[in-house]
Amino acid sequence: MKLVLIRHSEVIEKYQGKYNGHIDIPLSKQGLEDAKALGNKLSSYNFDAIYCSDLKRCRQTLEQLNIPQKATFTNKLREKSWGRHEGLSFNEIEASGITYTTFHEWIEQLDGEEVSHFTQRVEEFFFEDLQKESLNTVLIITHSGVIKTLLGRTKNLDLEESFSIVLPYSSVTEILL
């Protein structure tokens, strides 16, 4: 099965560079334009199915792609929840009293969804739910953390290595499962 993974387009400025998690925020004007341009690049694909995070930034990205096919929206493709740290930058989180020493320590100190639950949710979607379908090419519109977690699993990277992968807004990543 070929997966065409899209990180949602650029969000409004107030939330750029932040731990946004489950905050339901819209795309910026530039994000809307980038998603529309991305739709042109995807016109040559024939998707068997489309899955999309249920959060606004992913839904708006999908709308701008202008693909007439019906999509399935799911909370399983949401970014990790950061709890009370959502909407804050790295520096703002450090100013609240959490100190970065190692990646694993940092990510465990932040509240919200436990990393193990997030990873399990992502793996269940891709390695159980999707595998029940007989699909050749699937479009997935989701978040950076979801894509990085999947890449980590498929490339045998630890969480720190996978989260160091740079995935710009509106990026396309193709993998075979």
Side-chain angles (χ1 to χ4, degrees):
M1 176 184 326
K2 179 179 187 174
L3 299 180
V4 179
L5 302 153
I6 302 216
R7 180 183 180 198
H8 62 79
S9 293
E10 180 185 88
V11 296
I12 58 174
E13 187 175 357
K14 175 182 176 181
Y15 292 100
Q16 293 175 19
K18 307 285 176 107
Y19 288 72
N20 291 320
H22 290 192
I23 298 174
D24 205 15
I25 54 181
L27 296 180
S28 68
K29 182 178 178 186
Q30 183 63 52
L32 292 167
E33 291 173 15
D34 291 346
K36 189 172 282 191
L38 185 58
N40 294 332
K41 294 177 187 175
L42 297 174
S43 63
S44 64
Y45 286 88
N46 183 22
F47 297 110
D48 297 309
I50 299 173
Y51 293 90
C52 184
S53 164
D54 63 342
L55 293 176
K56 184 181 282 185
R57 53 197 184 266
C58 291
R59 293 174 75 96
Q60 286 185 323
T61 299
L62 175 61
E63 288 168 7
Q64 296 302 309
L65 296 177
N66 200 28
I67 298 173
Q69 191 172 346
K70 185 178 179 197
T72 300
F73 298 95
T74 177
N75 62 5
K76 291 183 176 184
L77 289 171
R78 283 185 176 196
E79 186 65 272
K80 180 192 176 303
S81 167
W82 299 102
R84 64 186 170 90
H85 299 104
E86 289 192 353
L88 299 178
S89 68
F90 178 88
N91 291 338
E92 291 168 327
I93 294 170
E94 275 200 319
S96 75
I98 295 178
T99 305
Y100 184 95
T101 51
T102 69
F103 174 82
H104 293 285
E105 212 175 274
W106 171 262
I107 206 163
E108 289 297 335
Q109 288 182 80
L110 302 179
D111 64 346
E113 186 177 14
E114 288 183 32
V115 175
S116 61
H117 292 162
F118 170 69
T119 301
Q120 180 180 359
R121 172 167 56 85
V122 170
E123 289 180 354
E124 282 177 2
F125 177 80
F126 287 102
F127 297 104
E128 294 177 25
D129 298 351
L130 273 186
Q131 299 305 318
K132 294 175 186 172
E133 306 291 329
S134 180
L135 304 169
N136 292 316
T137 307
V138 180
L139 177 62
I140 310 276
I141 299 96
T142 189
H143 308 268
S144 177
V146 172
I147 298 170
K148 290 176 180 185
T149 299
L150 177 62
L151 288 172
R153 169 77 190 287
T154 59
K155 296 179 181 291
N156 289 327
L157 303 173
D158 71 23
L159 200 58
E160 183 172 8
E161 290 173 311
S162 65
F163 270 72
S164 69
I165 296 169
V166 176
L167 288 175
Y169 290 121
S170 302
S171 61
V172 178
T173 304
E174 293 185 13
I175 65 169
L176 294 175
L177 276 190

